């Protein structure tokens, strides 16, 4: 269900850092928001949700090439379970994120970023979250 003026948040969850992206209020375009240390993720989301209306969160679901869950999958499952407990009114959507980090890195190359800038793992995570969220928006349109 779309709430007028509500945003969708994309989360590329990682053990150390989590990339976060957000849509515009019309839920058309995904933009990178930030990268936060994962241990501070719930504090960040609480503060963000107090300022912005959010009706959906898209969380990356990492899988191996053989479709098996990746090593971090149980950690993400715990995050989603806790999120749903804290924010039952916000819909959680899981999306395959297999190639988002590779695509993010390629996007950095295509954008002309220097090698030193491409080594910024926080930026890679933020771009990966943006790609994940934009993929969701694109699928929703068709």
């Amino acid at each position: 269900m779309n709430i007028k003026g509500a945003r969708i948040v994309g989360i590329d969850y990682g053990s150390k850092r989590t990339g976060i992206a957000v849509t515009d209020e019309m839920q058309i375009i995904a933009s990178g928001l930030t990268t936060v240390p994962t241990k501070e993720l719930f504090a960040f989301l609480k503060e963000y949700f107090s300022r912005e209306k959010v009706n959906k969160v898209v969380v990356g679901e990492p899988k191996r090439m053989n479709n098996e869950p990746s090593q971090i999958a149980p950690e993400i499952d715990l995050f989603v379970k806790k999120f749903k407990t804290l924010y039952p009114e916000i819909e959680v959507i899981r999306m395959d994120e297999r190639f988002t980090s590779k695509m993010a890195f390629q996007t950095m190359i295509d954008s002309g970023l220097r090698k030193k800038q491409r080594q910024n793992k926080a930026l890679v995570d933020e771009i990966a979250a943006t790609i994940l969220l934009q993929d969701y928006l694109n699928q929703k349109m068709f």
Side-chain angles (χ1 to χ4, degrees), residues 29-42:
I29 297 171
S31 302
L33 183 62
T34 190
T35 301
V36 297
T38 298
K39 64 182 185 286
E40 298 170 19
L41 180 56
F42 278 108

Side-chain angles (χ1 to χ4, degrees), residues 46-57:
K46 180 180 179 183
E47 196 277 325
Y48 186 78
F49 294 161
S50 73
R51 293 184 284 118
E52 298 287 344
K53 281 196 290 188
V54 174
N55 69 327
K56 291 180 189 169
V57 172

Side-chain angles (χ1 to χ4, degrees), residues 28-132:
I28 297 171
I29 297 171
S31 302
L33 183 62
T34 190
T35 301
V36 297
T38 298
K39 64 182 185 286
E40 298 170 19
L41 180 56
F42 278 108
F44 174 86
L45 292 173
K46 180 180 179 183
E47 196 277 325
Y48 186 78
F49 294 161
S50 73
R51 293 184 284 118
E52 298 287 344
K53 281 196 290 188
V54 174
N55 69 327
K56 291 180 189 169
V57 172
V58 178
V59 180
E61 190 164 27
K63 294 181 180 180
R64 294 190 176 104
M65 292 308 292
N66 65 0
N67 230 16
E68 294 285 318
S70 75
Q71 201 172 338
I72 193 171
E75 204 176 318
I76 296 172
D77 292 342
L78 286 173
F79 163 76
V80 169
K81 187 176 181 181
K82 182 176 178 182
F83 183 92
K84 286 179 176 181
T85 301
L86 291 172
Y87 304 102
E89 72 284 2
I90 299 176
E91 181 182 359
V92 176
I93 294 147
R94 303 291 301 267
M95 282 222 20
D96 188 341
E97 66 165 38
R98 259 181 277 206
F99 301 107
T100 55
S101 292
K102 285 185 178 80
M103 290 168 63
F105 192 72
Q106 188 60 48
T107 299
M108 294 169 83
I109 291 170
D110 295 346
S111 299
L113 292 180
R114 291 188 181 94
K115 186 175 181 182
K116 186 152 181 77
Q117 293 169 305
R118 293 193 310 260
Q119 292 170 339
N120 179 351
K121 289 183 173 36
L123 184 57
V124 172
D125 293 339
E126 183 180 324
I127 294 171
T130 306
I131 292 169
L132 176 76

